Amino acid sequence: MSTRDEETPLLGQQQKKTRTPLPLRQFCIILLLQLAEPLTAQVISPFAPQLIRDIGVTHGDETKVGYYVGLLHSLFFATQAVTILHWSRLSDHIGRKPVILIGLFGLSVSMYCFGLSTTFVGLVLSRALNGALNGNVGIMKSMVAEITDETNIAQAYAFMPLAWSSGGTLGPLIGGFLSRPADRFPDLFGNVEFFRTYPYFLSCAVPATFTAMAWVIMFFFLEETHPHPVSLGKLVKSKFNKKLAEGSVSPDSCTETSAASPCLQGIDESTPLPLRAVLIPRVFIAAGNYAALSVIEIAFRSVQPLFYSTPIELGGLGMDPASIGNILSVYGLINGSFQIFFFRTLHDRFGSKAIYTAAMLAGIPLILSFPLIHAIGSVYGVNWAVWCVIGVQLPSAIALNLGYSCIFIYIANSSPNRGSLGATNGIAQMFVSIMRTFGPASAASMFSFSIEKPENAWFAYYYLLALVFIGIGASLLLPRKMWKN
């Protein structure tokens, strides 16, 4: 199948053009910065169930642990959903760099606060701050689109899931290995009262310090990619006067919603369009599929550590945080390596639509492996057969994550013009944040419900399979050929 039949203006005619080399210095810095969010998000996964037990909010009721763990995971995305579109649109005007600096600062401070929290209210406030001040993911995707062209954007987006995969590798490893250091390393930390009072601070401090270092690296070495940024003061003044600075279009100056409407003709390609001109069907289709993929993946990630940590008699495997961290880290490592070395080849061969559809279909065996693992574990314990089935989950998880690189390309192509890349990515990320708010809490709650009574045992897996089938249906709306600007 020809790539020429699959992709368009950003990706079209690749076989007839010389591939432009990626600007490695800037691109590597963007990947480094992108690592901050998944690292801070995933570091709590191995110890979150035990943290909930330690602070006593469940009063010893094991069946309620999943509800509170899901809430902690969802809070970040709930507050992010409220603010991310505003951060992304702001970056379309004042530039990408200052907005990302604010986001990195918020991530770092909130993670230090999370590690110092000893009450559930403190945990909630820390996670809420984490999400509200961070709108970086969509903005970084806009930066990648701005430093690439139609010959190398697929290659660049093949590396984008590397950040989440690396966060999925390092975050759980750090969280599991460094949690409760006074108990795990008594010779080194046993006499340090601070680590007995705050047993999870060390796990949180590592990603928080990494994020602070990333802030410094970005401040000094990352170049602004927005072609015509304006100062915040000029933007505020122009907004006050009901028009944008430097001749931009006012949201009040055009009453038509289509980017192709006459009042928007002649606008420079780098000029941000009014928000209603970005709210077009193809943006909603791309954003909706991104949300569908994300809710499946985040629901799976939420149930996975809960399933591993829940006692076997209640429907899990009864593993300790360190073992859970090791499993999640291996998943992340192999997944990231596969994305880097094989995605571009697969994409050139099959195209975005075929790969994305296959990714959605991979969710079916991914979910069905859970009850099979428990069935073996409940009879034989955690033996070699259990580890073999856990290993079988890996190809399905890798296939599911291939969908991210494809949907990033669809989102970039759905933007009405390059000046609205930030708003387009912001809309997509807002959809994803809403679904990720809903996904972890609902999946974890369904898992808790499923272990309350034996007759409820399959409810969590029915629910996850329903999400997969919704995602498969949404994938049918994506075009075989990319949209044209």
Side-chain angles (χ1 to χ4, degrees):
M1 183 181 296
S2 172
T3 305
R4 186 169 56 252
D5 294 331
E6 288 285 332
E7 315 300 337
T8 62
L10 291 179
L11 295 176
Q13 310 295 327
Q14 289 185 18
Q15 295 177 337
K16 294 184 178 181
K17 295 183 179 180
T18 302
R19 194 184 299 273
T20 304
L22 284 175
L24 287 179
R25 182 171 179 268
Q26 295 299 296
F27 185 64
C28 288
I29 294 175
I30 293 174
L31 289 180
L32 179 69
L33 299 176
Q34 196 181 26
L35 177 61
E37 180 177 327
L39 192 63
T40 55
Q42 296 298 323
V43 73
I44 74 169
S45 295
F47 64 76
Q50 188 59 46
L51 171 61
I52 292 299
R53 297 182 185 107
D54 290 348
I55 63 177
V57 69
T58 64
H59 304 290
D61 188 347
E62 184 67 25
T63 63
K64 293 182 179 180
V65 172
Y67 294 108
Y68 289 97
V69 171
L71 180 60
L72 285 183
H73 281 292
S74 295
L75 269 172
F76 170 85
F77 299 108
T79 51
Q80 187 185 63
V82 175
T83 61
I84 192 167
L85 180 57
H86 301 290
W87 290 123
S88 298
R89 294 193 69 205
L90 182 63
S91 76
D92 278 339
H93 298 288
I94 69 173
R96 319 298 184 194
K97 189 170 180 177
V99 179
I100 294 179
L101 287 172
I102 296 172
L104 292 175
F105 176 80
L107 279 176
S108 182
V109 171
S110 63
M111 282 308 298
Y112 283 122
C113 293
F114 191 90
L116 293 172
S117 300
T118 56
T119 65
F120 188 69
V121 173
L123 298 176
V124 166
L125 293 176
S126 299
R127 292 296 281 179
L129 177 66
N130 195 314
L133 293 180
N134 180 54
N136 290 352
V137 178
I139 300 173
M140 290 179 188
K141 295 185 184 112
S142 301
M143 295 185 78
V144 171
E146 288 167 340
I147 65 173
T148 57
D149 58 29
E150 67 273 16
T151 67
N152 60 8
I153 191 171
Q155 180 185 8
Y157 278 131
F159 284 87
M160 295 299 284
L162 176 64
W164 275 98
S165 298
S166 299
T169 301
L170 298 175
L173 185 63
I174 293 169
F177 186 72
L178 296 181
S179 62
R180 306 181 66 89
D183 296 331
R184 288 179 52 79
F185 311 104
D187 295 337
L188 188 60
F189 299 109
N191 296 324
V192 181
E193 186 61 30
F194 178 85
F195 289 119
R196 292 195 175 276
T197 305
Y198 307 103
Y200 304 101
F201 176 79
L202 190 59
S203 295
C204 297
V206 172
T209 303
F210 169 83
T211 305
M213 294 172 62
W215 189 98
V216 175
I217 292 172
M218 179 181 183
F219 184 83
F220 287 105
F221 299 108
L222 185 66
E223 300 174 4
E224 177 61 65
T225 62
H226 193 290
H228 306 295
V230 299
S231 66
L232 182 60
K234 183 179 291 187
L235 178 64
V236 171
K237 183 178 178 180
S238 66
K239 286 289 187 180
F240 182 77
N241 294 327
K242 300 295 182 182
K243 60 183 178 180
L244 302 179
E246 301 296 332
S248 299
V249 178
S250 168
D252 300 324
S253 65
C254 182
T255 59
E256 297 187 51
T257 59
S258 172
S261 62
C263 63
L264 295 178
Q265 296 303 304
I267 294 177
D268 186 81
E269 176 72 8
S270 63
T271 300
L273 297 176
L275 179 59
R276 57 175 163 266
V278 184
L279 300 176
I280 55 180
R282 68 191 194 192
V283 172
F284 285 117
I285 291 173
N289 273 275
Y290 185 22
L293 173 62
S294 297
V295 75
I296 296 169
E297 193 260 348
I298 198 70
F300 167 74
R301 282 186 174 272
S302 299
V303 169
Q304 191 180 24
L306 275 174
F307 174 81
Y308 290 150
S309 68
T310 300
I312 290 180
E313 59 272 16
L314 290 179
L317 284 183
M319 291 183 173
D320 59 81
S323 298
I324 297 172
N326 291 335
I327 293 173
L328 300 184
S329 296
V330 170
Y331 274 172
L333 179 63
I334 298 178
N335 180 55
S337 301
F338 189 89
Q339 294 271 354
I340 292 173
F341 293 112
F342 296 104
F343 174 75
R344 192 180 76 180
T345 301
L346 291 172
H347 184 270
D348 290 344
R349 174 65 181 88
F350 299 106
S352 297
K353 178 64 182 286
I355 296 176
Y356 185 80
T357 302
M360 289 289 99
L361 293 172
I364 297 175
L366 181 68
I367 302 307
L368 291 179
S369 60
F370 278 125
L372 179 59
I373 291 172
H374 172 67
I376 298 174
S378 61
V379 176
Y380 301 104
V382 184
N383 65 351
W384 63 270
V386 168
W387 287 107
C388 286
V389 181
I390 290 175
V392 169
Q393 274 189 328
L394 183 58
S396 299
I398 291 174
L400 181 69
N401 279 273
L402 284 176
Y404 280 110
S405 298
C406 298
I407 204 62
F408 294 160
I409 296 172
Y410 273 108
I411 291 170
N413 277 271
S414 72
S415 179
N417 71 347
R418 283 194 170 267
S420 301
L421 274 171
T424 302
N425 278 294
I427 292 169
Q429 204 62 44
M430 180 180 69
F431 276 36
V432 168
S433 296
I434 292 172
M435 296 310 295
R436 284 176 172 169
T437 301
F438 169 73
S442 61
S445 297
M446 287 300 297
F447 183 81
S448 292
F449 176 74
S450 69
I451 66 175
E452 287 180 356
K453 299 178 181 179
E455 57 267 27
N456 298 342
W458 273 77
F459 272 63
Y461 309 125
Y462 291 146
Y463 173 71
L464 293 175
L465 285 173
L467 295 179
V468 171
F469 285 115
I470 291 172
I472 293 172
S475 70
L476 301 178
L477 299 175
L478 292 171
R480 188 173 63 87
K481 296 181 180 180
M482 286 292 174
W483 299 287
K484 295 182 179 180
N485 288 329

